[in-house]
Amino acid sequence: MFPPAFLWGAATSAHQVEGHNIHSDWWAWEASGKVKERSGAACEHYERFREDFALAQQLGHNAHRFSIEWSRIEPEPGRWDEGAIAHYQEVIQALRERALEPVVTLFHFTSPQWFSEQGGWRHPQAIERFSRYVERVLEAIGSSVRYWVTFNEPMIYVYQGYIAGVWPPGQRSWTAAFRIFERLLHAHTVAYHLIHSRLDHSARKPVVGVAKHMVIFNSCNPRSWKDRFARWMRHRCFNGVVASAFDRGHLLPRFWLAAKRAGYRRYLDFIGLNYYTRDFVHFNGWTGGKVFGEVCSLAHHRDTGPRNSLGWEVYPEGIYESLRQLTRFGLPILITENGVCTNDDGQRVQFIHDHLTQVSRAMSEGVPVFGYLHWSLLDNYEWHEGFAPRFGLAEVDYATQERRVRPSARYLAAIAKTRQMVAMSGVPP
Ligand code: IFM
């Protein structure tokens, strides 16, 4: 049984659904031909949010995660767009009118283009600029929001933008990546502090978290100690170290004197878990980034599960393993994302069934999960992968902007309604 107060819903992010996000660095990145497809009108969610929230309400959701687009709020340095601010106030109001608890993400991969042009997170005033934006958001919607996610998947952002170079700003430097990660960490602590100092006395006492993408890592060859080492490095650095750095506000290991001096302040009230897949890793060398190993092809593994349309393995036990790993923080956990891109909605039904079964297993062992937000409410713009991957509980026909609710959405609704696992055969058509 899932508890009565459990949050059920879906997640989206501004750039992926809103459309015409013209002041963001992603818009400029797309315009310069760096990706195969441009986001364009996306799902026109900026105009259609009421209709989309009505759909979520019909599906029995009681929560909704979305992100505020900084580049809309502050399209030029220090110039606030009052229309955009009013828009997000209306969004919150529309959610509340439909009894959907807002879960607000402050930074979901996109920055204002001016911020990027001036050096982005490397600029000495980056934190100040981000804080100014956060303060403006708090002023506008702070008292109506309880759940805050400062950063979505900080490590994915750093990896794609500063190591793989496939997202803006398109760099490939481990040193830059490390510096940016530290900046995000610092920005998170500042935002955490601002949210609490501004809102602790409001009626809705805020809770602040980060959406941490967890990946299960296995070694390609478990008999090779080098592969086991590479797996360990990747797991420690990608999963454990990132989560604890955001919790403690610094990167220093717990036993370091400086870490002890920094005290036991904590910067997370809950942890958001984004879970999708597992990777197999083999040894790649001892120097630089090579110590994190290299992903080997799943084709070499006979015992792996089905894949989604992007080729990621579907591994439901991984959500259980991730939840168990996160319990060491002793914090409540919100599943801020979990989903599958597929053209076969039957696969999505199976995915929801298998993952929620694992969530329920973890909860029965005492893991304090307080909600499940599916990725995503709608099909949407999957960054450099374009519109082909279909993650939505509702299909979007991009030619007409028509939404068609998928059977998997009704299946999730049935579980949310009964607060228990439901047989897949009982999915209403
Ligand atoms: O679409 C993304 C989202 O922006 C962040 N988490 C993973 C999703 C699927 O790749």
Side-chain angles (χ1 to χ4, degrees), residues 8-19 21 42-46 48-53 55-56 59 61 63-69 87-88 91 95 100-110 149-153 211 274 276 334-339 372-383 391-394 396 398 403:
W8 293 102
T12 60
S13 91
H15 190 74
Q16 294 178 271
V17 293
E18 285 181 348
N21 188 15
C43 308
E44 288 184 358
H45 178 72
Y46 198 77
R48 296 171 184 263
F49 63 95
R50 289 194 180 83
E51 163 196 343
D52 293 335
F53 296 162
L55 195 146
L59 292 172
H61 296 185
H64 182 74
R65 175 175 173 229
F66 70 99
S67 71
I68 306 269
E69 181 56 46
H87 168 85
Y88 289 111
V91 164
L95 288 171
L100 294 163
E101 181 71 40
V103 178
V104 173
T105 308
L106 290 166
F107 189 90
H108 194 122
F109 301 154
T110 52
V149 173
T150 55
F151 284 89
N152 181 68
E153 301 178 350
N274 291 6
Y276 290 88
L334 174 63
I335 296 167
T336 34
E337 283 181 30
N338 174 235
Y372 175 85
L373 306 176
H374 191 81
W375 184 270
S376 178
L377 180 63
L378 307 168
D379 289 336
N380 60 50
Y381 182 67
E382 179 59 20
W383 309 108
F391 275 98
L393 290 171
V396 176
Y398 294 110
R403 277 66 165 144

Side-chain angles (χ1 to χ4, degrees), residues 154-155 178 181-182 184-186 188-189 210 212 236-254 265-268 271 328-329:
M155 201 59 205
F178 186 76
F181 182 78
E182 282 198 309
L184 301 187
L185 199 53
H186 185 185
H188 163 77
T189 60
V210 67
K212 172 71 192 94
R236 286 291 299 150
C237 296
F238 187 88
N239 291 330
V241 169
V242 173
S244 59
F246 272 76
D247 187 30
R248 285 184 280 125
H250 57 74
L251 255 171
L252 299 171
R254 210 183 311 238
R265 252 217 85 148
R266 301 191 74 175
Y267 293 93
L268 288 179
I271 297 208
R328 76 186 169 95
F329 294 100

